[in-house]
Amino acid sequence: MTTHPSRLVVVSAGLSVPSSTRLLADRLAEAVHTELPTTTVEFIELRELATAIANHLVTGFPNETLHQAIDAVSTSDGLIAVTPVFAASYSGLFKSFFDLIDPDALTGTPVLIAATGGTPRHSLALDHAVRPLFSYLHALTVPTSVFAASEDWGGEGDAFTAHLPGRITRAASELAAQMRIRSTRPAAEEVTPFAQQLSDLRLD
């Protein structure tokens, strides 16, 4: 059974620069890439697409950059989705972007969900809001989610406190395992459309 190189897409909905949401996304992507060194990684910063997302919601037409982002997510072999938590749920920008994804586009796609927030109590948003969103999209959400509160960041730049790296490693391993399975699936056999079959019969 042959394999093909995997494509990992990382969506970060952080609003500031630098952003703890993006920093967490970076650590998760690094952990997955350690497990799957041949995987290509593409980052999508939703803050850079905020105006395009709003315009698309109003007009129904994405600009080219947003279209490429939607296509990247829809055709990925694995997805990391990281949102800040506001009012006990995902951010409006995060939800608005995934509202633009076709409801069937992520069917069976392995997804690692993660979030950042001010206090650990906001971690409940992952299971009460983010996970149901991807269940609706028919994605295969890995069991371990990752939440980083303000206290999880150490005093030196983006250093984590002790307990978080293990959770990142476990979640990344789960995503990598599902991506390996996805990459070894046999390619779908080409099916000749019925109309073409009828045409071929007439020619015979």
Side-chain angles (χ1 to χ4, degrees):
M1 183 176 294
T2 59
T3 63
H4 62 81
S6 296
R7 292 175 55 252
L8 174 66
V9 175
V10 186
V11 176
S12 171
L15 299 180
S16 59
V17 178
S19 161
S20 60
T21 302
R22 174 57 192 262
L23 292 173
L24 179 57
D26 287 342
R27 296 299 172 270
L28 291 166
E30 289 171 6
V32 175
H33 195 262
T34 298
E35 296 268 350
L36 298 173
T38 61
T39 296
T40 60
V41 182
E42 178 178 350
F43 283 88
I44 296 174
E45 283 279 6
L46 295 187
R47 65 180 300 275
E48 299 173 356
L49 299 172
T51 300
I53 290 169
N55 287 337
H56 185 8
L57 289 171
V58 173
T59 66
F61 297 99
N63 66 16
E64 182 59 28
T65 303
L66 178 57
H67 175 77
Q68 291 175 0
I70 292 172
D71 185 65
V73 169
S74 300
T75 60
S76 64
D77 295 302
L79 178 66
I80 296 173
V82 192
T83 179
V85 174
F86 300 133
S89 188
Y90 36 60
S91 72
L93 181 59
F94 184 86
K95 179 61 163 59
S96 294
F97 175 73
F98 282 101
D99 281 345
L100 303 179
I101 304 296
D102 185 279
D104 295 320
L106 292 180
T107 299
T109 301
V111 179
L112 191 169
I113 58 173
T116 58
T119 64
R121 62 192 176 94
H122 291 304
S123 64
L124 295 174
L126 280 166
D127 285 329
H128 289 275
V130 184
R131 194 176 295 275
L133 170 63
F134 287 99
S135 294
Y136 170 77
L137 293 171
H138 310 295
L140 181 61
T141 310
V142 300
T144 302
S145 56
V146 180
F147 181 84
S150 297
E151 64 194 51
D152 289 315
W153 299 92
E156 299 181 6
D158 59 347
F160 287 118
T161 51
H163 80 283
L164 195 55
R167 193 167 183 85
I168 289 173
T169 299
R170 183 164 70 250
S173 295
E174 292 170 357
L175 182 63
Q178 292 301 321
M179 290 177 66
R180 287 190 192 96
I181 293 171
R182 189 175 178 86
S183 69
T184 56
R185 291 184 310 181
E189 295 183 3
E190 184 176 345
V191 178
T192 304
F194 184 64
Q196 181 62 47
Q197 295 181 42
L198 289 177
S199 177
D200 292 342
L201 287 173
R202 293 191 188 101
L203 291 175
D204 291 341

